[in-house]
Amino acid sequence: MSSASNPGMRSQSAALVAEASGLAECLDRLAARKHEGRPLATYRLQFHRAFRFEDARGLVAYLHELGVTHCYASPILKARPGSLHGYDITDHNAINPEIGSEQDFRDFVSELKSRDMGLVLDMVPNHMGVGHGTNPWWQDVLENGQASQFADFFDIDWYPLKIELRGKVLLPILGDQYGEELEQGRIALHYENGRFFMRYYDKHLPVDPQTVPLIFEPLGDLRARPVASNGEGLQAISELEEILRGYRNLPPHTTTDPEVAEQRRQQVPVLNQQLAALVERSPAVKALVDEAVKICNGEPGNSRSFDALHRLLEAQAYRLAHWRVSAEEINYRRFFDINDLVGLRMENPKVFAATHRLIRRLLADGSVSGLRIDHPDGLLNPRQYLTRLQMLYAASQCCGPEPIPPMAENGIETEVQEIFGQHDWMFRRAPLYVLVEKILEPGEELPTEWPVDGTSGYEFANLVNGLFIDQRNLRAFTNLYRRFVGEVPDVDTLIYESKKRIMQSALASEVTVLTHMADEISSTDRRARDFTRKALADAIRETAACFPVYRTYIDERGEISERDRGYIQEAIAWAKRRNPSMPAAVFDFLRDILLLKVGDTNHWTDSYRKRLFFTLKFQQLTGPVMAKGLEDTACYVYNRLVSVNEVGGSPKQFGVSVDDFHRENLRRLETWPFSLLASSTHDSKRSEDVRARINVLSEIPKQWGLVVMRWRRLNRAKKSVISDGRTVPDYNEEYLLYQTLLGTWPWEIPDQAAREQYIGRIQQYMYKAVHEAKVNVSWINPNPEYVEALETFIARILTPETQGRPNRFLGDLEKFTPILAFFGAMNSLSQTLLKITSPGVPDSYQGNEIWDFSLVDPDNRRPVDFELRKRLQAELKTAGVSGDLVALCDDLVRTFQDGRIKLWTTMRALCARRERAELFQSGGYVPLYAAGAKQEHVCAFARTHGLETVIVAVPRLVHKLTGGEPRAPVGDIWQNTQLVIVPSAVAEYENVFTGERLQPSTSPSLLCREIFAHFPVALLVGR
């Protein structure tokens, strides 16, 4: 209802306008300061119980010295106890107590503000964590079903195909079949403080109050029980019977009538309180409760003794099931296929209002200056959500930290729409700094209509990584991979087949629901009614498997962009091409649904609504299918060069040209100048330093081929043959393992404990890798024998001696690794400087300011030694102020293994960026090119703003540049190569790292041997 049609709301709006004096001026100020507060550089911190606000507070001075302007925090809202990542939020309006109190948070923010630093906060709008009984909203849904006030908060299908699940939530939490778990006594009834509940290991499940009388039925006539032998006992039992009648007469959990549901909500607490009080004061009633619970819980070995508990469970608003059932029958939307992360209906304005109260307060008081939105592709309408965020921010700045009731009940629109309606232009300009965790496929653009500043930077990570892969060796590398592994699948076919496999297993239920919806639509279409369910299901799977991007963004109004039309038509065309034996008409029918084509000119018919709802739900399927099929399957199967197998990347990629790198930087500067630039993230499959090492292999395919084939021969005897005849590991897993070892091999292994720790890390990684690949084992079909054989192989090849005989492979590995480690370090320095100086906002993942050779989580969540980093920073700061910078840089190059060289590069570049904020935020970008013998080994550009000019130059493909000699790319190695620079008034440049002064020639140009005289990368500031 609009305020125009509601006098009470209209008067309240008028009061709000009067109260918020100068509202229009406030809005104008917000719009005018759009670029104010935008980060110059962020630093990602992972909060959990072992890294709290007080720990972060102690890092602020260090981060400020590093040149960081904003901390970029993992989710800090209350999450499942013990969460190491914070994405399983259980309460959006409370700080996670495991990482500190609200005062601890305020102290951390105050420390940031004292150094003019800000905070970007990771937000999780798509889902909530519901495991272990710690989410009060979900517990209320399990207790009250559709009568719960939160029933519409979660994306639950209350009317699924399976009749037994109507009005229930399927809970696939059991480790074995339901009957087995029940009769083994693992599902047990408990009573505590007036409430009955079920416990299954660490899972806590409420009991529907209306079903409480069922608990006492096995006792028969309560008055005939021995505890009723005296007047006091009879009186107490009479009271108990009255309470049970009250429970029995409650409205059922299936009611959807708001008034009836409200009656239930009012009566239940009263009855619970009466029961608790009665049990507390009456030994007779307490004895009856204990006896009823004991009888319900049955006796293992006596199957019939569990009948009462079974009847009670069947009457609940949930149905317990074996965890494997989730793939086909689960009736709530999840985050991918994780059962404990349940999708929220964030499109419901009440859900938005209920989940953003704390965020509004933090925005209002300036504690948070930006938000990173996790997994927007899971939302029904990302654009709507992002617009609401901007409205929330405007309301927090102009109207205060608290929403105004009753408008707050229905969401932010009802509070601010009329007031801010004339200023909708402001929302398009996005005054709040917002980033989205959006994965863009090659050639895909972030929707320009979204009121955001960009993405969380996966595309840049893949772009800059590709710059250090030698594209010319693609064929040689592919041939080597085929020679080592044998049959190698086509990458596109692998991705396609992986996506189909995911829809046939983990996401089968989602396909079934869509098939049922499509069947209903076809039944009313005389041209489509003969399509069978199988044909429709196949068409849905095939089209989703051929989808070229994660998803389209058709909204609930039916608006379709030309971009999304193109993606749908491309997917249908590829699906037809891959399935020539299927009738083309069924694909055309699906295409017409997705494009919302209807014969009736009146769009809002029942037929149109069904097609629109199908399309909206289809969009929520293709994202998880792409993620699970590409990222979590194909990226662990196609191991040609695993440094490209990253989030937002693709196994078929093999390098990026310098021209492409410049082209993407120019495009970002024009469209998303404040988008984040990442090189490592908490989601990375390999850290930036691991990838930088592995990239070196692309330069030496012949040498790598000789080495890896020799390793295969040396380790053949260390493999095992398991009972089903398979040799472990297979060749593809072995090829992945060798690349992993090269990418992560420590600078030194000082003792046996360090060696065992490293072996454990590799075993843990390979355990995850083979399960994700789903070739020999999978999470659904584990094989302990296979895993044990794989872990044994890893331990054998990494143990120096076996029965007194030296490990020849290990000696060979330790000879070969230093070469890759050196050139990988040079690659890492180059990509670090490019990240810090390219258009966008550079982000550093915690600890990566020095060498970090971490693999996918949980490996990259290990504790960071910040004390070491602080000490190194202090040493470098002292040396930089009082010493000779050239001598310092020479020393850093000689001792590159200790990581100071990367810290120096990061710190000096970030501080230079902070000192020239306007140049790096708003300045131009001019690609520069080298001429001469080594021109292909230079990537360079200029950043310009007015009379200011900064030149960035880095080497690439350094192994070839040096002829394979592990020497820094400095000095005469560049021969006559010169960097051609743009004509300007700059008479002299100063190297930020070395302090050297360079004067351009009249050409104008700079000699590379002078640019890189003493340091592998150069940041030249015009003087």
Side-chain angles (χ1 to χ4, degrees):
M1 179 183 295
S2 72
S3 58
S5 61
N6 186 324
M9 188 177 292
R10 188 166 62 246
S11 63
Q12 193 148 16
S13 294
L16 183 58
V17 171
E19 181 179 324
S21 60
L23 180 60
E25 289 81 357
C26 175
L27 294 174
D28 290 337
R29 281 199 308 275
L30 288 180
R33 71 182 196 213
K34 172 173 170 58
H35 291 177
E36 288 183 19
R38 291 309 193 251
L40 274 162
T42 61
Y43 189 97
R44 172 79 178 199
L45 291 172
Q46 294 292 122
F47 286 96
H48 47 79
R49 60 188 176 189
F51 185 84
R52 298 160 52 86
F53 291 131
E54 58 185 328
D55 301 308
R57 184 183 176 191
L59 288 179
V60 171
Y62 165 77
L63 296 178
H64 183 263
E65 290 291 338
L66 195 62
V68 171
T69 65
H70 286 66
C71 280
Y72 165 28
S74 65
I76 64 169
L77 305 182
K78 188 174 182 180
R80 176 185 60 80
S83 175
L84 294 178
H85 47 74
Y87 287 99
D88 40 8
I89 290 173
T90 58
D91 186 347
H92 284 87
N93 295 304
I95 298 289
N96 188 351
E98 290 194 345
I99 63 177
S101 65
E102 187 162 338
Q103 185 57 51
D104 293 331
F105 172 72
R106 300 290 178 189
D107 291 343
F108 169 48
V109 170
S110 295
E111 189 70 22
L112 288 172
K113 288 184 175 181
S114 72
R115 297 179 185 274
D116 199 26
M117 296 172 67
L119 178 64
V120 175
L121 185 62
D122 202 340
M123 280 283 294
V124 190
N126 174 66
H127 55 267
M128 292 186 79
V130 299
H132 311 281
T134 57
N135 185 317
W137 292 354
W138 184 249
Q139 291 297 104
D140 195 275
V141 170
L142 297 184
E143 181 175 332
N144 299 296
Q146 290 170 280
S148 168
Q149 62 182 313
F150 306 109
D152 290 337
F153 277 42
F154 298 98
D155 203 346
I156 301 169
D157 180 7
W158 293 105
Y159 305 99
L161 297 177
K162 195 167 185 174
I163 295 176
E164 306 95 282
L165 284 176
R166 300 283 169 88
K168 292 178 180 285
V169 177
L170 181 72
L171 294 183
I173 62 173
L174 304 180
D176 205 339
Q177 298 297 319
Y178 165 75
E180 177 68 16
E181 296 293 77
L182 179 77
E183 295 180 15
Q184 289 298 318
R186 299 185 186 114
I187 307 168
L189 177 68
H190 293 265
Y191 168 83
E192 190 175 298
N193 298 327
R195 297 174 76 105
F196 291 92
F197 61 93
M198 302 289 177
R199 180 166 287 154
Y200 177 71
Y201 292 104
D202 60 347
K203 303 284 196 271
H204 183 285
L205 304 167
V207 167
D208 175 2
Q210 195 204 21
T211 66
V212 168
L214 293 176
I215 297 171
F216 293 88
E217 283 186 1
L219 299 181
D221 184 357
L222 299 182
R223 295 172 178 272
R225 308 302 292 180
V227 295
S229 59
N230 56 54
E232 182 180 344
L234 280 172
Q235 176 63 33
I237 289 172
S238 293
E239 292 183 46
L240 174 61
E241 289 176 330
E242 185 65 26
I243 293 171
L244 293 179
R245 272 192 293 274
Y247 280 127
R248 191 176 293 110
N249 292 330
L250 286 171
H253 65 243
T254 54
T255 184
T256 56
D257 185 314
E259 292 184 4
V260 175
E262 181 59 30
Q263 291 174 12
R264 175 186 166 105
R265 287 196 288 270
Q266 290 178 357
Q267 293 170 14
V268 167
V270 175
L271 292 168
N272 288 344
Q273 187 175 9
Q274 291 174 347
L275 179 61
L278 182 59
V279 172
E280 180 69 24
R281 74 170 189 267
S282 170
V285 172
K286 183 179 186 305
L288 284 177
V289 168
D290 292 343
E291 186 179 3
V293 168
K294 183 178 180 181
I295 290 175
C296 267
N297 283 332
E299 299 176 4
N302 180 358
S303 178
R304 296 303 303 271
S305 69
F306 289 94
D307 288 353
L309 185 59
H310 173 63
R311 281 196 303 273
L312 181 63
L313 284 166
E314 287 293 280
Q316 301 309 306
Y318 52 84
R319 181 174 186 175
L320 301 182
H322 186 223
W323 66 271
R324 288 180 184 267
V325 172
S326 64
E328 295 185 14
E329 295 186 351
I330 200 161
N331 63 327
Y332 59 82
R333 182 172 60 85
R334 302 162 289 172
F335 174 69
F336 296 155
D337 58 349
I338 303 174
N339 295 336
D340 280 353
L341 297 180
V342 179
L344 285 169
R345 293 188 63 238
M346 195 56 71
E347 67 275 11
N348 182 340
K350 290 186 178 182
V351 177
F352 183 92
T355 54
H356 287 72
R357 292 194 178 101
L358 175 58
I359 291 301
R360 175 169 177 159
R361 293 199 296 272
L362 298 181
L363 291 172
D365 64 21
S367 296
V368 171
S369 48
L371 298 173
R372 178 262 198 189
I373 306 306
D374 180 68
H375 192 50
D377 278 352
L379 301 173
L380 190 74
N381 187 347
R383 181 185 179 186
Q384 177 196 65
Y385 172 77
L386 297 167
T387 301
R388 282 176 175 162
L389 272 185
Q390 296 295 341
M391 297 173 75
L392 183 80
Y393 176 67
S396 75
Q397 300 302 297
C398 299
C399 306
E402 298 296 334
I404 310 297
M407 302 180 202
E409 285 285 318
N410 299 313
I412 190 69
E413 285 94 339
T414 55
E415 181 182 353
V416 302
Q417 194 167 38
E418 182 170 312
I419 302 167
F420 296 160
Q422 301 304 312
H423 296 267
D424 62 334
W425 54 269
M426 185 198 67
F427 303 126
R428 291 196 297 271
R429 294 182 65 180
L432 174 63
Y433 184 67
V434 176
L435 300 166
V436 286
E437 189 233 3
K438 167 63 186 163
I439 297 173
L440 299 170
E441 288 299 287
E444 182 185 7
E445 295 285 346
L446 188 65
T448 55
E449 61 270 21
W450 287 7
V452 300
D453 281 278
T455 73
S456 52
Y458 297 138
E459 67 276 7
F460 180 82
N462 288 282
L463 178 72
V464 74
N465 180 72
L467 199 57
F468 302 95
I469 295 172
D470 194 339
Q471 292 178 292
R472 294 166 300 188
N473 292 327
L474 169 61
R475 179 176 295 181
F477 232 79
T478 304
N479 290 339
L480 169 61
Y481 181 45
R482 185 176 291 112
R483 189 155 55 94
F484 191 98
V485 173
E487 189 65 28
V488 173
D490 169 72
V491 183
D492 288 319
T493 301
L494 171 63
I495 295 170
Y496 161 77
E497 294 291 351
S498 297
K499 291 165 76 174
K500 283 177 58 177
R501 192 177 304 121
I502 288 297
M503 286 183 280
Q504 290 163 347
S505 55
L507 299 177
S509 176
E510 287 80 350
V511 174
T512 300
V513 170
L514 284 171
T515 301
H516 177 66
M517 293 167 64
D519 188 47
E520 280 193 346
I521 296 169
S522 71
S523 67
T524 61
D525 185 337
R526 64 188 180 205
R527 294 176 179 271
R529 70 180 191 180
D530 290 340
F531 293 143
T532 65
R533 282 200 173 190
K534 181 181 182 306
L536 292 169
D538 288 345
I540 290 168
R541 273 193 294 265
E542 293 295 329
T543 301
C546 292
F547 225 73
V549 293
Y550 275 70
R551 63 165 282 178
T552 50
Y553 298 99
I554 300 165
D555 66 17
E556 71 278 8
R557 297 169 298 181
E559 289 191 5
I560 309 178
S561 67
E562 288 305 311
R563 173 194 65 229
D564 287 344
R565 288 183 190 277
Y567 291 144
I568 291 168
Q569 289 167 347
E570 181 182 348
I572 293 291
W574 273 106
K576 285 181 178 180
R577 189 178 304 179
R578 286 189 176 275
N579 297 274
S581 61
M582 285 181 63
V586 70
F587 288 113
D588 294 338
F589 171 67
L590 179 58
R591 178 199 60 207
D592 289 347
I593 295 177
L594 295 175
L595 293 177
L596 303 177
K597 290 184 178 180
V598 291
D600 196 330
T601 55
N602 177 15
H603 272 193
W604 292 104
T605 60
D606 183 57
S607 174
Y608 179 81
R609 287 189 176 93
K610 287 181 178 179
R611 288 168 180 252
L612 177 57
F613 188 59
F614 176 92
T615 299
L616 296 175
K617 300 307 290 183
F618 182 83
Q619 291 181 143
Q620 288 182 297
L621 170 68
T622 57
V625 167
M626 177 73 88
K628 298 300 293 181
L630 172 57
E631 292 177 42
D632 293 344
T633 304
C635 280
Y636 287 97
V637 176
Y638 194 84
N639 297 316
R640 179 180 61 192
L641 183 68
V642 296
S643 55
V644 302
N645 294 8
E646 261 305 337
V647 179
S650 170
K652 66 183 179 183
Q653 293 176 330
F654 199 91
V656 169
S657 71
V658 173
D659 283 339
D660 285 340
F661 179 76
H662 289 318
R663 189 177 302 112
E664 290 302 315
N665 276 349
L666 285 165
R667 182 179 301 163
R668 189 182 321 106
L669 179 62
E670 180 182 354
T671 54
W672 305 104
F674 296 99
S675 190
L676 212 63
L677 307 179
S679 46
S680 288
T681 75
H682 61 286
D683 285 325
S684 293
K685 299 187 185 301
R686 296 163 190 86
S687 74
E688 60 198 62
D689 294 326
V690 173
R691 280 181 271 118
R693 275 192 188 178
I694 295 173
N695 285 343
V696 180
L697 295 176
S698 73
E699 300 182 58
I700 52 171
K702 289 183 180 179
Q703 185 180 350
W704 167 234
L706 292 172
V707 167
V708 76
M709 297 304 289
R710 182 166 67 248
W711 290 352
R712 188 170 77 170
R713 290 194 302 272
L714 290 173
N715 290 328
R716 186 175 293 136
K718 298 182 177 71
K719 294 187 175 187
S720 303
V721 178
I722 60 175
S723 58
D724 61 9
R726 285 181 291 175
T727 300
V728 184
D730 69 21
Y731 286 137
N732 194 39
E733 294 162 351
E734 188 178 1
Y735 199 66
L736 167 64
L737 174 60
Y738 293 147
Q739 291 181 73
T740 302
L741 294 177
L742 291 174
T744 60
W745 194 253
W747 297 113
E748 61 174 355
I749 302 180
D751 51 38
Q752 184 59 26
R755 183 175 298 278
E756 290 176 0
Q757 182 186 48
Y758 178 73
I759 291 172
R761 285 178 55 211
I762 300 302
Q763 289 173 327
Q764 184 182 48
Y765 169 75
M766 290 299 295
Y767 174 87
K768 181 168 186 172
V770 297
H771 282 81
E772 294 285 17
K774 307 170 189 66
V775 174
N776 290 304
V777 296
S778 70
W779 300 115
I780 295 176
N781 293 302
N783 186 325
E785 185 186 8
Y786 194 98
V787 170
E788 183 180 357
L790 178 61
E791 292 179 345
T792 299
F793 176 78
I794 294 168
R796 285 172 178 169
I797 69 172
L798 296 180
T799 300
E801 291 187 3
T802 304
Q803 297 178 342
R805 299 174 60 184
N807 184 337
R808 291 175 58 197
F809 161 74
L810 195 56
D812 213 26
L813 175 70
E814 289 174 337
K815 275 186 205 172
F816 185 63
T817 302
I819 299 172
L820 257 66
F822 176 82
F823 292 114
M826 298 303 105
N827 285 347
S828 183
L829 297 179
S830 292
Q831 72 176 359
T832 297
L833 181 58
L834 292 176
K835 176 183 69 175
I836 292 172
T837 55
S838 289
V841 179
D843 174 59
S844 299
Y845 183 66
Q846 59 176 29
N848 278 255
E849 60 271 30
I850 67 173
W851 309 130
D852 180 87
F853 302 106
S854 295
L855 295 163
V856 72
D857 68 279
D859 196 54
N860 64 6
R861 312 289 171 86
R862 289 173 296 145
V864 176
D865 188 349
F866 283 113
E867 291 307 312
L868 168 64
R869 286 157 178 79
K870 287 180 182 179
R871 178 173 59 78
L872 294 180
Q873 184 191 70
E875 292 173 3
L876 288 173
K877 184 180 177 183
T878 300
V881 170
S882 60
D884 179 348
L885 293 189
V886 169
L888 172 62
C889 287
D890 288 340
D891 179 58
L892 293 177
V893 171
R894 282 193 303 272
T895 59
F896 75 96
Q897 294 96 333
D898 63 18
R900 291 182 305 147
I901 190 170
K902 189 177 182 186
L903 181 59
W904 179 254
T905 302
T906 302
M907 182 168 62
R908 296 290 285 189
L910 284 178
C911 288
R913 178 184 177 87
R914 185 170 57 194
E915 292 166 7
R916 297 161 184 82
E918 279 296 312
L919 180 143
F920 283 104
Q921 284 193 323
S922 307
Y925 179 96
V926 182
L928 302 178
Y929 295 92
K934 306 294 183 178
Q935 62 184 27
E936 67 172 321
H937 297 283
V938 180
C939 178
F941 54 84
R943 301 300 308 272
T944 61
H945 185 263
L947 297 177
E948 283 189 293
T949 301
V950 166
I951 292 176
V952 179
V954 303
R956 60 187 291 266
L957 308 181
V958 180
H959 187 283
K960 182 181 178 184
L961 172 68
T962 65
E965 181 185 352
R967 54 168 292 192
V970 298
D972 291 340
I973 196 170
W974 291 100
Q975 299 175 17
N976 66 342
T977 308
Q978 55 187 336
L979 182 65
V980 180
I981 62 176
V982 293
S984 71
V986 176
E988 187 176 58
Y989 290 91
E990 181 178 347
N991 190 321
V992 164
F993 304 114
T994 66
E996 296 169 288
R997 302 287 179 107
L998 289 79
Q999 295 179 347
S1001 66
T1002 55
S1003 312
S1005 64
L1006 295 169
L1007 290 172
C1008 287
R1009 65 171 178 266
E1010 294 180 358
I1011 294 174
F1012 304 113
H1014 295 279
F1015 203 68
V1017 296
L1019 178 56
L1020 310 177
V1021 177
R1023 295 296 182 186

